[in-house]
Coordinates of all heavy atoms in Angstrom, one line a residue:
M1 N 0.8 -1.2 0.0 CA 0.0 0.0 0.0 C 0.9 1.3 0.0 O 0.6 2.2 -0.8 CB -0.9 -0.1 1.3 CG -2.1 0.9 1.1 SD -3.2 0.4 -0.3 CE -4.4 1.7 -0.2
S2 N 1.9 1.3 0.8 CA 2.8 2.5 1.0 C 3.6 2.6 -0.4 O 3.9 3.7 -0.7 CB 3.7 2.4 2.1 OG 4.5 1.3 2.1
A3 N 3.9 1.5 -1.0 CA 4.7 1.5 -2.2 C 3.8 2.2 -3.3 O 4.3 3.1 -4.1 CB 5.1 0.1 -2.7
F4 N 2.6 1.9 -3.3 CA 1.7 2.5 -4.3 C 1.6 4.0 -4.0 O 1.7 4.8 -4.9 CB 0.3 1.9 -4.2 CG -0.8 2.6 -4.9 CD1 -0.9 2.4 -6.3 CD2 -1.6 3.6 -4.3 CE1 -1.8 3.1 -7.1 CE2 -2.6 4.3 -5.1 CZ -2.7 4.1 -6.4
D5 N 1.5 4.4 -2.7 CA 1.4 5.8 -2.4 C 2.6 6.6 -2.9 O 2.6 7.7 -3.4 CB 1.2 6.0 -0.9 CG -0.2 5.6 -0.4 OD1 -1.1 5.6 -1.3 OD2 -0.3 5.3 0.7
A6 N 3.8 6.0 -2.7 CA 5.1 6.6 -3.1 C 5.1 6.9 -4.5 O 5.5 8.0 -5.0 CB 6.3 5.8 -2.6
S7 N 4.7 5.9 -5.3 CA 4.8 6.1 -6.7 C 3.7 7.0 -7.2 O 3.9 7.8 -8.2 CB 4.7 4.7 -7.5 OG 3.3 4.3 -7.4
H8 N 2.6 7.1 -6.5 CA 1.6 8.0 -6.8 C 2.1 9.5 -6.6 O 1.8 10.4 -7.4 CB 0.3 7.8 -6.0 CG -0.8 8.6 -6.4 ND1 -1.6 8.4 -7.5 CD2 -1.3 9.8 -5.9 CE1 -2.5 9.3 -7.6 NE2 -2.3 10.2 -6.7
D9 N 2.8 9.7 -5.5 CA 3.3 11.0 -5.2 C 4.3 11.4 -6.2 O 4.3 12.6 -6.7 CB 4.0 11.0 -3.8 CG 2.9 11.0 -2.6 OD1 1.8 11.2 -3.0 OD2 3.4 10.9 -1.6
A10 N 5.1 10.5 -6.7 CA 6.1 10.8 -7.7 C 5.3 11.2 -9.0 O 5.7 12.2 -9.7 CB 7.0 9.6 -8.0
H11 N 4.3 10.5 -9.4 CA 3.5 10.8 -10.5 C 2.8 12.2 -10.4 O 2.8 12.9 -11.3 CB 2.4 9.7 -10.7 CG 1.8 9.7 -12.0 ND1 0.6 9.1 -12.3 CD2 2.2 10.3 -13.2 CE1 0.3 9.3 -13.5 NE2 1.3 10.0 -14.1
C12 N 2.4 12.5 -9.1 CA 1.8 13.8 -8.9 C 2.8 14.9 -9.2 O 2.3 15.9 -9.9 CB 1.3 13.9 -7.4 SG -0.2 13.0 -7.0
S13 N 3.9 14.9 -8.7 CA 4.9 16.0 -9.0 C 5.2 16.1 -10.4 O 5.3 17.2 -11.0 CB 6.2 15.9 -8.2 OG 6.6 14.6 -8.2
E14 N 5.2 14.9 -11.1 CA 5.4 15.0 -12.5 C 4.2 15.7 -13.2 O 4.4 16.5 -14.1 CB 5.6 13.5 -13.1 CG 6.0 13.5 -14.5 CD 6.0 12.0 -15.0 OE1 6.5 11.1 -14.3 OE2 5.4 11.8 -16.1
I15 N 3.1 15.3 -12.9 CA 1.8 15.9 -13.5 C 1.8 17.4 -13.2 O 1.6 18.3 -14.1 CB 0.6 15.3 -12.8 CG1 0.5 13.8 -13.2 CG2 -0.7 16.0 -13.1 CD1 0.0 13.6 -14.7
L16 N 2.2 17.8 -11.9 CA 2.1 19.2 -11.6 C 3.1 20.1 -12.4 O 2.8 21.3 -12.7 CB 2.3 19.4 -10.0 CG 1.1 18.9 -9.2 CD1 1.5 18.9 -7.7 CD2 -0.2 19.7 -9.5
Q17 N 4.2 19.5 -12.7 CA 5.2 20.2 -13.4 C 4.7 20.5 -14.8 O 5.1 21.4 -15.5 CB 6.5 19.3 -13.5 CG 7.4 19.6 -12.3 CD 8.5 18.6 -12.2 OE1 8.7 17.9 -13.1 NE2 9.2 18.6 -11.1
R18 N 3.8 19.6 -15.3 CA 3.3 19.8 -16.7 C 1.9 20.5 -16.8 O 1.4 20.7 -17.9 CB 3.1 18.3 -17.3 CG 4.5 17.7 -17.6 CD 4.4 16.2 -17.5 NE 3.8 15.7 -18.6 CZ 3.4 14.4 -18.8 NH1 3.6 13.6 -17.7 NH2 2.9 13.9 -19.8
I19 N 1.4 20.9 -15.6 CA 0.1 21.5 -15.6 C 0.1 22.8 -16.3 O -0.9 23.2 -17.0 CB -0.5 21.5 -14.2 CG1 -1.3 20.3 -13.9 CG2 -1.4 22.7 -13.9 CD1 -2.0 20.2 -12.6
F20 N 1.2 23.6 -16.2 CA 1.3 24.9 -16.9 C 1.0 24.6 -18.4 O 0.3 25.4 -19.1 CB 2.6 25.5 -16.7 CG 2.7 26.1 -15.3 CD1 3.6 25.5 -14.4 CD2 2.0 27.2 -14.9 CE1 3.8 26.1 -13.1 CE2 2.2 27.7 -13.6 CZ 3.0 27.2 -12.7
F21 N 1.7 23.7 -18.9 CA 1.7 23.4 -20.4 C 0.3 22.8 -20.7 O -0.3 23.1 -21.7 CB 2.7 22.3 -20.8 CG 4.1 22.8 -20.5 CD1 4.8 22.3 -19.5 CD2 4.7 23.9 -21.3 CE1 6.1 22.8 -19.2 CE2 5.9 24.3 -20.9 CZ 6.6 23.8 -19.9
F22 N -0.3 22.0 -19.8 CA -1.6 21.5 -20.0 C -2.6 22.6 -20.1 O -3.5 22.6 -21.1 CB -2.0 20.5 -18.8 CG -3.3 20.0 -18.9 CD1 -3.6 19.0 -19.9 CD2 -4.3 20.3 -18.0 CE1 -4.9 18.5 -20.0 CE2 -5.6 19.7 -18.1 CZ -5.9 18.8 -19.1
I23 N -2.6 23.6 -19.2 CA -3.5 24.7 -19.2 C -3.3 25.5 -20.5 O -4.3 26.0 -21.1 CB -3.3 25.6 -18.0 CG1 -3.7 24.8 -16.8 CG2 -4.1 26.9 -18.1 CD1 -3.4 25.5 -15.4
D24 N -2.1 25.6 -21.0 CA -1.8 26.4 -22.3 C -2.1 25.6 -23.5 O -1.9 26.1 -24.6 CB -0.4 26.8 -22.3 CG -0.2 28.0 -21.3 OD1 -1.2 28.7 -21.0 OD2 0.9 28.2 -20.8
N25 N -2.5 24.3 -23.3 CA -2.8 23.5 -24.5 C -1.6 23.2 -25.3 O -1.6 23.3 -26.5 CB -4.0 24.0 -25.4 CG -5.2 24.0 -24.6 OD1 -5.6 23.0 -24.0 ND2 -6.1 25.0 -24.7
E26 N -0.5 23.1 -24.6 CA 0.8 22.9 -25.3 C 1.3 21.5 -25.2 O 2.5 21.3 -25.5 CB 1.9 23.9 -24.8 CG 1.7 25.4 -25.1 CD 2.6 26.3 -24.5 OE1 3.5 25.9 -23.8 OE2 2.4 27.5 -24.7
L27 N 0.4 20.6 -24.9 CA 0.8 19.2 -24.8 C 0.3 18.4 -25.9 O -0.7 18.7 -26.5 CB 0.4 18.6 -23.5 CG 1.0 19.1 -22.2 CD1 0.4 18.4 -21.0 CD2 2.6 18.8 -22.2
E28 N 0.9 17.3 -26.2 CA 0.4 16.3 -27.2 C -0.9 15.7 -26.6 O -1.1 15.7 -25.4 CB 1.4 15.2 -27.4 CG 2.7 15.7 -28.0 CD 2.6 16.2 -29.4 OE1 1.8 15.6 -30.2 OE2 3.3 17.2 -29.7
R29 N -1.7 15.3 -27.6 CA -3.0 14.7 -27.2 C -2.9 13.6 -26.1 O -3.6 13.6 -25.1 CB -3.7 14.2 -28.5 CG -5.1 13.7 -28.2 CD -6.1 14.8 -28.0 NE -6.7 14.6 -26.7 CZ -7.5 15.5 -26.1 NH1 -7.5 16.8 -26.6 NH2 -8.0 15.2 -24.9
A30 N -1.9 12.7 -26.3 CA -1.8 11.7 -25.4 C -1.4 12.1 -24.0 O -1.9 11.6 -23.0 CB -0.6 10.7 -25.9
D31 N -0.6 13.2 -23.9 CA -0.1 13.7 -22.6 C -1.4 14.4 -21.9 O -1.5 14.3 -20.7 CB 0.9 14.7 -22.8 CG 2.3 14.0 -23.2 OD1 2.5 12.9 -22.8 OD2 3.1 14.7 -23.8
C32 N -2.2 15.0 -22.7 CA -3.4 15.7 -22.1 C -4.3 14.6 -21.6 O -4.8 14.8 -20.4 CB -4.1 16.4 -23.2 SG -3.4 17.9 -23.7
D33 N -4.4 13.5 -22.3 CA -5.3 12.4 -21.7 C -4.8 11.9 -20.4 O -5.5 11.7 -19.5 CB -5.4 11.3 -22.8 CG -6.2 11.7 -24.0 OD1 -6.9 12.8 -23.9 OD2 -6.2 11.0 -25.0
E34 N -3.4 11.7 -20.4 CA -2.8 11.2 -19.1 C -3.1 12.1 -18.0 O -3.4 11.7 -16.9 CB -1.4 11.0 -19.4 CG -0.6 10.4 -18.2 CD 0.9 10.5 -18.4 OE1 1.4 10.8 -19.4 OE2 1.6 10.2 -17.3
I35 N -2.9 13.5 -18.2 CA -3.1 14.4 -17.2 C -4.6 14.5 -16.8 O -4.9 14.5 -15.6 CB -2.5 15.8 -17.5 CG1 -1.0 15.7 -17.6 CG2 -3.0 16.9 -16.5 CD1 -0.4 17.0 -18.1
Q36 N -5.4 14.5 -17.7 CA -6.9 14.6 -17.5 C -7.3 13.4 -16.6 O -8.1 13.5 -15.7 CB -7.7 14.6 -18.8 CG -9.1 14.8 -18.6 CD -9.4 16.2 -18.0 OE1 -9.1 17.2 -18.5 NE2 -10.1 16.2 -16.8
Q37 N -6.8 12.3 -17.0 CA -7.1 11.0 -16.2 C -6.6 11.1 -14.8 O -7.4 10.8 -13.8 CB -6.5 9.8 -16.9 CG -7.1 8.5 -16.3 CD -6.3 7.3 -16.8 OE1 -5.5 7.4 -17.7 NE2 -6.7 6.1 -16.3
H38 N -5.4 11.6 -14.6 CA -4.9 11.8 -13.3 C -5.8 12.8 -12.5 O -6.0 12.6 -11.3 CB -3.4 12.3 -13.3 CG -2.8 12.4 -12.0 ND1 -2.1 11.3 -11.5 CD2 -2.7 13.3 -11.1 CE1 -1.6 11.7 -10.3 NE2 -2.0 12.9 -10.0
L39 N -6.1 13.9 -13.1 CA -6.9 14.9 -12.4 C -8.3 14.3 -11.9 O -8.8 14.7 -10.9 CB -7.1 16.1 -13.3 CG -5.9 16.9 -13.6 CD1 -6.3 18.1 -14.5 CD2 -5.3 17.4 -12.3
D40 N -8.8 13.4 -12.8 CA -10.1 12.7 -12.4 C -9.9 11.9 -11.2 O -10.9 11.7 -10.4 CB -10.6 11.9 -13.5 CG -11.1 12.7 -14.7 OD1 -11.3 13.9 -14.5 OD2 -11.2 12.1 -15.8
E41 N -8.7 11.4 -11.0 CA -8.5 10.4 -9.9 C -7.9 10.9 -8.7 O -7.8 10.4 -7.6 CB -7.6 9.2 -10.4 CG -8.3 8.4 -11.4 CD -7.2 7.5 -12.1 OE1 -6.1 7.6 -11.8 OE2 -7.6 6.6 -13.0
C42 N -7.3 12.2 -8.8 CA -6.4 12.7 -7.8 C -6.9 14.0 -7.3 O -6.7 15.1 -8.0 CB -5.0 12.8 -8.2 SG -3.8 13.3 -7.0
Q43 N -7.5 14.1 -6.2 CA -8.2 15.4 -5.7 C -7.2 16.5 -5.5 O -7.3 17.6 -5.9 CB -9.0 15.1 -4.4 CG -9.8 16.2 -3.9 CD -10.9 16.6 -5.0 OE1 -11.4 15.7 -5.6 NE2 -11.4 17.8 -4.8
P44 N -6.0 16.2 -4.7 CA -5.0 17.2 -4.6 C -4.5 17.9 -5.9 O -4.4 19.2 -6.0 CB -3.9 16.6 -3.9 CG -4.5 15.4 -3.3 CD -5.5 14.9 -4.1
C45 N -4.2 17.1 -6.9 CA -3.8 17.6 -8.2 C -4.9 18.4 -8.8 O -4.6 19.4 -9.5 CB -3.3 16.5 -9.1 SG -1.7 15.8 -8.6
L46 N -6.2 18.0 -8.7 CA -7.3 18.7 -9.3 C -7.4 20.0 -8.7 O -7.6 21.0 -9.4 CB -8.5 17.9 -9.1 CG -9.8 18.5 -9.7 CD1 -9.7 18.6 -11.2 CD2 -11.1 17.7 -9.3
E47 N -7.3 20.1 -7.4 CA -7.3 21.4 -6.7 C -6.2 22.4 -7.2 O -6.4 23.5 -7.4 CB -7.1 21.2 -5.1 CG -8.2 20.5 -4.5 CD -9.6 21.2 -4.6 OE1 -9.5 22.5 -4.6 OE2 -10.6 20.6 -4.8
K48 N -5.0 21.8 -7.3 CA -3.9 22.6 -7.9 C -4.2 23.1 -9.3 O -3.9 24.3 -9.7 CB -2.6 21.7 -7.9 CG -1.3 22.5 -8.1 CD -0.9 23.3 -6.8 CE -0.2 22.3 -5.8 NZ 0.2 23.0 -4.6
Y49 N -4.8 22.2 -10.1 CA -5.1 22.6 -11.4 C -6.2 23.6 -11.5 O -6.0 24.6 -12.3 CB -5.7 21.3 -12.2 CG -6.3 21.7 -13.5 CD1 -5.5 22.1 -14.6 CD2 -7.7 21.5 -13.7 CE1 -6.2 22.4 -15.8 CE2 -8.3 21.8 -14.9 CZ -7.5 22.2 -15.9 OH -8.2 22.6 -17.1
K50 N -7.1 23.6 -10.6 CA -8.2 24.6 -10.6 C -7.5 25.9 -10.2 O -7.9 27.0 -10.7 CB -9.2 24.3 -9.6 CG -10.2 23.2 -10.0 CD -11.3 23.1 -9.0 CE -12.0 21.8 -9.1 NZ -12.7 21.4 -7.9
L51 N -6.6 25.9 -9.3 CA -5.9 27.1 -8.8 C -5.1 27.7 -10.0 O -5.2 29.0 -10.3 CB -4.9 26.9 -7.7 CG -4.1 28.0 -7.1 CD1 -5.1 29.1 -6.6 CD2 -3.2 27.6 -6.0
E52 N -4.4 26.9 -10.7 CA -3.6 27.3 -11.9 C -4.6 28.0 -12.9 O -4.2 29.1 -13.5 CB -2.9 26.1 -12.6 CG -1.9 25.5 -11.7 CD -0.7 26.4 -11.4 OE1 -0.5 27.4 -12.1 OE2 0.1 26.1 -10.5
S53 N -5.7 27.4 -13.2 CA -6.6 27.9 -14.2 C -7.2 29.3 -13.7 O -7.3 30.1 -14.5 CB -7.8 26.9 -14.3 OG -7.4 25.6 -14.5
T54 N -7.5 29.3 -12.4 CA -8.0 30.6 -11.9 C -7.0 31.8 -12.1 O -7.3 32.8 -12.5 CB -8.4 30.5 -10.4 OG1 -9.2 29.4 -10.2 CG2 -9.0 31.7 -9.9
V55 N -5.7 31.4 -11.7 CA -4.7 32.4 -11.8 C -4.5 32.9 -13.2 O -4.4 34.0 -13.6 CB -3.3 31.9 -11.2 CG1 -2.2 32.8 -11.6 CG2 -3.5 31.7 -9.7
K56 N -4.5 31.9 -14.1 CA -4.3 32.2 -15.6 C -5.5 33.0 -16.1 O -5.2 34.0 -16.8 CB -4.2 30.9 -16.4 CG -3.9 31.1 -17.8 CD -3.7 29.8 -18.6 CE -3.7 30.1 -20.0 NZ -2.5 30.9 -20.5
A57 N -6.6 32.7 -15.7 CA -7.8 33.5 -16.1 C -7.7 35.0 -15.6 O -7.9 35.9 -16.3 CB -9.1 32.9 -15.6
L58 N -7.2 35.1 -14.3 CA -7.0 36.4 -13.7 C -6.0 37.2 -14.5 O -6.1 38.4 -14.8 CB -6.5 36.2 -12.3 CG -7.6 36.2 -11.2 CD1 -6.9 35.9 -9.9 CD2 -8.3 37.5 -11.1
V59 N -4.9 36.5 -14.9 CA -3.8 37.2 -15.6 C -4.3 37.7 -17.0 O -4.1 38.8 -17.4 CB -2.6 36.3 -15.8 CG1 -1.6 36.9 -16.8 CG2 -1.9 36.0 -14.5
Q60 N -5.1 36.8 -17.7 CA -5.6 37.2 -19.0 C -6.5 38.4 -18.9 O -6.5 39.3 -19.7 CB -6.4 36.0 -19.6 CG -5.4 35.0 -20.2 CD -6.1 33.8 -20.8 OE1 -7.2 33.5 -20.4 NE2 -5.5 33.1 -21.7
R61 N -7.4 38.3 -17.8 CA -8.3 39.5 -17.6 C -7.6 40.7 -17.3 O -7.9 41.8 -17.8 CB -9.3 39.1 -16.5 CG -10.7 39.8 -16.7 CD -11.6 39.3 -15.8 NE -11.2 39.3 -14.4 CZ -11.8 38.6 -13.4 NH1 -12.8 37.8 -13.6 NH2 -11.3 38.7 -12.2
S62 N -6.6 40.6 -16.4 CA -5.9 41.9 -16.1 C -5.0 42.4 -17.3 O -4.8 43.6 -17.3 CB -4.9 41.6 -14.9 OG -4.0 40.6 -15.2
C63 N -4.8 41.5 -18.2 CA -4.0 42.0 -19.4 C -4.9 42.7 -20.3 O -4.5 43.7 -20.9 CB -3.3 40.8 -20.2 SG -1.9 40.1 -19.3
T64 N -6.1 42.3 -20.4 CA -7.1 42.9 -21.4 C -7.8 44.1 -20.8 O -8.2 45.0 -21.5 CB -8.1 41.9 -22.0 OG1 -8.8 41.3 -20.8 CG2 -7.4 40.9 -22.7
E65 N -7.9 44.1 -19.4 CA -8.8 45.2 -18.8 C -8.0 46.2 -18.1 O -8.5 47.1 -17.5 CB -9.7 44.5 -17.8 CG -10.9 43.8 -18.3 CD -11.8 43.2 -17.3 OE1 -11.6 43.5 -16.1 OE2 -12.7 42.4 -17.6
H66 N -6.6 46.2 -18.3 CA -5.9 47.2 -17.7 C -6.1 47.2 -16.2 O -6.5 48.3 -15.6 CB -6.0 48.5 -18.3 CG -5.6 48.6 -19.7 ND1 -4.3 48.5 -20.2 CD2 -6.3 48.6 -20.8 CE1 -4.2 48.5 -21.5 NE2 -5.5 48.6 -21.9
A67 N -5.9 46.1 -15.5 CA -6.3 46.1 -14.1 C -5.4 46.9 -13.3 O -4.2 47.3 -13.8 CB -6.0 44.6 -13.6
P68 N -5.9 47.5 -12.2 CA -5.1 48.3 -11.3 C -3.7 47.6 -10.9 O -3.8 46.4 -10.9 CB -5.9 48.6 -10.1 CG -7.3 48.0 -10.4 CD -7.2 47.2 -11.7
D69 N -2.7 48.4 -10.7 CA -1.4 47.8 -10.3 C -1.5 46.9 -9.1 O -0.9 45.9 -9.1 CB -0.4 48.9 -10.0 CG 0.0 49.6 -11.4 OD1 -0.3 48.9 -12.4 OD2 0.7 50.6 -11.3
Q70 N -2.4 47.3 -8.2 CA -2.5 46.5 -7.0 C -3.0 45.1 -7.3 O -2.4 44.1 -6.7 CB -3.5 47.2 -6.1 CG -3.3 47.0 -4.6 CD -4.3 47.5 -3.8 OE1 -5.3 48.2 -4.2 NE2 -4.2 47.3 -2.4
L71 N -4.0 44.9 -8.2 CA -4.5 43.6 -8.5 C -3.4 42.8 -9.3 O -3.2 41.6 -9.0 CB -5.7 43.8 -9.4 CG -6.2 42.4 -10.0 CD1 -6.7 41.5 -8.9 CD2 -7.3 42.6 -11.0
R72 N -2.6 43.5 -10.1 CA -1.6 42.8 -10.9 C -0.5 42.3 -9.9 O -0.1 41.1 -10.1 CB -1.0 43.7 -12.0 CG -0.5 43.0 -13.1 CD -0.2 43.9 -14.3 NE 0.7 44.9 -13.9 CZ 0.9 46.1 -14.5 NH1 0.1 46.4 -15.6 NH2 1.7 47.0 -14.2
E73 N -0.2 43.1 -9.0 CA 0.7 42.7 -8.0 C 0.3 41.4 -7.2 O 1.1 40.5 -7.0 CB 1.0 43.8 -6.9 CG 2.0 44.9 -7.4 CD 3.3 44.2 -7.5 OE1 3.9 43.7 -6.5 OE2 3.9 44.2 -8.7
R74 N -1.0 41.4 -6.9 CA -1.5 40.3 -6.1 C -1.5 39.0 -7.0 O -1.2 38.0 -6.5 CB -3.0 40.6 -5.7 CG -3.1 40.6 -4.2 CD -4.6 40.9 -3.8 NE -5.0 42.2 -4.1 CZ -6.3 42.5 -4.4 NH1 -7.3 41.6 -4.3 NH2 -6.7 43.7 -4.8
V75 N -1.9 39.1 -8.2 CA -1.8 38.0 -9.2 C -0.4 37.4 -9.3 O -0.1 36.3 -9.2 CB -2.4 38.4 -10.6 CG1 -2.2 37.3 -11.6 CG2 -3.8 38.7 -10.4
L76 N 0.6 38.3 -9.4 CA 1.9 37.9 -9.6 C 2.4 37.3 -8.3 O 3.1 36.2 -8.4 CB 2.8 39.2 -9.9 CG 2.7 39.7 -11.3 CD1 3.5 41.0 -11.5 CD2 3.0 38.7 -12.3
L77 N 2.1 37.8 -7.2 CA 2.4 37.1 -6.0 C 1.9 35.7 -5.8 O 2.5 34.8 -5.4 CB 1.9 37.9 -4.7 CG 2.8 39.1 -4.3 CD1 2.2 39.9 -3.2 CD2 4.2 38.6 -3.8
R78 N 0.5 35.6 -6.2 CA -0.1 34.3 -6.2 C 0.6 33.3 -7.1 O 0.8 32.2 -6.8 CB -1.6 34.6 -6.7 CG -2.5 33.4 -6.6 CD -3.2 33.3 -5.2 NE -4.0 32.3 -5.2 CZ -5.4 32.4 -5.5 NH1 -5.8 33.4 -5.9 NH2 -6.2 31.3 -5.4
I79 N 1.0 33.7 -8.3 CA 1.7 32.8 -9.3 C 3.0 32.4 -8.6 O 3.3 31.2 -8.7 CB 1.9 33.5 -10.6 CG1 0.6 33.8 -11.3 CG2 2.8 32.7 -11.4 CD1 0.8 34.7 -12.5
R80 N 3.7 33.3 -8.1 CA 5.0 33.0 -7.5 C 4.8 31.9 -6.4 O 5.5 31.0 -6.2 CB 5.7 34.2 -6.9 CG 7.0 34.5 -7.7 CD 7.6 35.8 -7.3 NE 7.2 36.8 -8.2 CZ 7.0 38.1 -7.8 NH1 7.1 38.5 -6.6 NH2 6.7 39.0 -8.8
A81 N 3.8 32.1 -5.5 CA 3.4 31.3 -4.4 C 3.2 29.9 -4.9 O 3.6 28.8 -4.4 CB 2.3 31.8 -3.6
V82 N 2.4 29.8 -6.0 CA 2.1 28.6 -6.6 C 3.3 27.8 -7.1 O 3.4 26.7 -6.9 CB 1.0 28.7 -7.7 CG1 0.8 27.4 -8.5 CG2 -0.4 29.2 -7.2
Q83 N 4.1 28.6 -7.8 CA 5.3 27.9 -8.4 C 6.2 27.4 -7.3 O 6.7 26.3 -7.4 CB 6.1 29.0 -9.3 CG 5.3 29.2 -10.6 CD 6.0 30.3 -11.4 OE1 6.7 31.2 -10.9 NE2 5.7 30.3 -12.7
V84 N 6.4 28.2 -6.3 CA 7.2 27.7 -5.1 C 6.6 26.4 -4.5 O 7.3 25.4 -4.3 CB 7.4 28.8 -4.0 CG1 7.9 28.2 -2.7 CG2 8.2 29.9 -4.6
D85 N 5.3 26.4 -4.4 CA 4.5 25.3 -3.9 C 4.9 24.0 -4.7 O 5.1 23.0 -4.2 CB 3.1 25.6 -3.8 CG 2.3 24.7 -2.8 OD1 3.0 24.2 -1.9 OD2 1.2 24.5 -3.0
I86 N 4.8 24.2 -6.0 CA 4.9 23.0 -6.9 C 6.3 22.5 -6.7 O 6.5 21.2 -6.8 CB 4.6 23.5 -8.3 CG1 3.0 23.6 -8.4 CG2 5.0 22.4 -9.3 CD1 2.6 24.2 -9.8
R87 N 7.3 23.4 -6.6 CA 8.7 22.9 -6.5 C 9.1 22.2 -5.2 O 10.1 21.5 -5.2 CB 9.7 24.0 -6.8 CG 9.6 24.6 -8.2 CD 10.9 25.3 -8.5 NE 10.7 26.0 -9.8 CZ 10.4 27.3 -9.9 NH1 10.2 28.0 -8.8 NH2 10.1 27.9 -11.1
V88 N 8.2 22.3 -4.2 CA 8.5 21.7 -2.9 C 8.4 20.2 -3.1 O 7.4 19.7 -3.5 CB 7.5 22.2 -1.9 CG1 7.7 21.3 -0.6 CG2 7.7 23.7 -1.6
D89 N 9.4 19.5 -2.7 CA 9.6 18.0 -2.8 C 8.7 17.5 -1.7 O 9.0 17.7 -0.5 CB 10.9 17.5 -2.7 CG 11.1 16.1 -3.1 OD1 10.0 15.4 -3.1 OD2 12.2 15.6 -3.2
P90 N 7.6 16.7 -2.0 CA 6.8 16.1 -0.9 C 7.5 15.1 0.0 O 7.1 14.9 1.1 CB 5.6 15.6 -1.6 CG 6.1 15.3 -3.0 CD 7.2 16.4 -3.3
S91 N 8.6 14.5 -0.5 CA 9.3 13.5 0.3 C 10.2 14.3 1.1 O 11.1 14.0 1.5 CB 10.0 12.5 -0.6 OG 10.8 13.1 -1.5
Ligands
ZN1 ZN1 -1.9 13.7 -8.2

């Protein structure tokens, strides 16, 4: 059981590293299917994916709507926090 968990964690960090590309639709079809399937099965990764999507949507909106500097600052901080979070090794 614990062996399964360890390999699942490794898979999670691999998936999370590719989520940026997944959101940008920059992955091959097969890779998208793999990530989509993982997100269906893995709640923590799904939450991370939702956060990434939200941040990306915020950035796009702030780019087109000339968001106040304060909002842009907050979005940038959020992105940096997410990136740091993803790089943290769970083991
Ligand atoms: Zn996962």
Side-chain angles (χ1 to χ4, degrees):
M1 201 60 183
S2 62
F4 171 81
D5 287 340
S7 73
H8 185 82
D9 282 352
H11 197 199
C12 282
S13 47
E14 189 189 311
I15 293 288
L16 291 174
Q17 277 168 8
R18 289 150 76 191
I19 269 187
F20 287 111
F21 301 105
F22 178 67
I23 291 172
D24 286 333
N25 293 316
E26 287 176 3
L27 289 178
E28 299 293 323
R29 186 69 238 169
D31 290 334
C32 286
D33 288 347
E34 185 191 348
I35 292 178
Q36 187 63 62
Q37 193 190 352
H38 185 89
L39 293 177
D40 287 344
E41 296 167 352
C42 184
Q43 189 66 24
C45 284
L46 182 62
E47 293 298 325
K48 194 76 80 180
Y49 167 69
K50 283 186 197 158
L51 180 61
E52 298 291 348
S53 309
T54 305
V55 170
K56 188 177 165 64
L58 270 175
V59 171
Q60 280 176 339
R61 207 167 56 197
S62 64
C63 284
T64 54
E65 282 180 11
H66 299 286
D69 286 347
Q70 211 184 359
L71 173 64
R72 209 167 53 201
E73 276 298 302
R74 242 183 295 152
V75 170
L76 288 175
L77 278 174
R78 187 87 177 270
I79 291 172
R80 243 171 266 145
V82 168
Q83 286 175 336
V84 167
D85 197 29
I86 287 175
R87 288 202 194 97
V88 170
D89 188 351
S91 58

